[in-house]
């Protein structure tokens, strides 16, 4: 789910430098894409960080979400 609002149907936002598939944030389109306006990461990165935490804090939260996820949700993917 989206790490901001919990909605399903997320997009993967690559975070940090250098870009890595290991440093991603699960964001729903309204929290990711510019065209959804204020509140979206690509509308104003500064405002997004002010509202939801630093890049480092968000990455740590995403890693915690993944670590605490039910392994059953991954069955059938591998």
């Amino acid at each position: 789910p989206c790490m901001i609002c919990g909605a399903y149907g997320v997009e993967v936002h690559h975070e940090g430098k250098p870009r890595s598939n290991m440093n991603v944030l699960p964001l729903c389109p309204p929290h990711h894409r510019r065209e959804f306006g204020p509140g979206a990461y690509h509308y104003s990165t500064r405002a997004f960080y002010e509202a939801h935490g630093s890049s480092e804090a968000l990455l740590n939260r995403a890693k915690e979400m993944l670590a605490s996820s039910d392994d059953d949700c991954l069955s059938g993917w591998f």
Side-chain angles (χ1 to χ4, degrees):
C2 176
M3 67 182 309
I4 304 303
C5 69
Y8 283 87
V10 297
E11 301 172 341
V12 175
H13 170 75
H14 290 86
E15 183 70 12
K17 297 209 189 261
R19 298 286 186 239
S20 166
N21 286 335
M22 299 306 290
N23 292 326
V24 296
L25 306 177
L27 299 173
C28 65
H31 281 115
H32 188 215
R33 296 186 202 170
R34 175 190 251 322
E35 63 263 25
F36 286 94
Y41 181 92
H42 288 292
Y43 186 85
S44 172
T45 304
R46 181 184 304 167
F48 188 86
Y49 288 145
E50 287 175 5
H52 304 294
S54 68
S55 175
E56 183 178 325
L58 291 167
L59 284 169
N60 286 336
R61 195 161 100 208
K63 289 174 186 175
E64 289 171 6
M65 288 173 64
L66 184 59
S68 68
S69 70
D70 185 355
D71 287 338
D72 290 339
C73 72
L74 298 176
S75 64
W77 285 92
F78 300 101

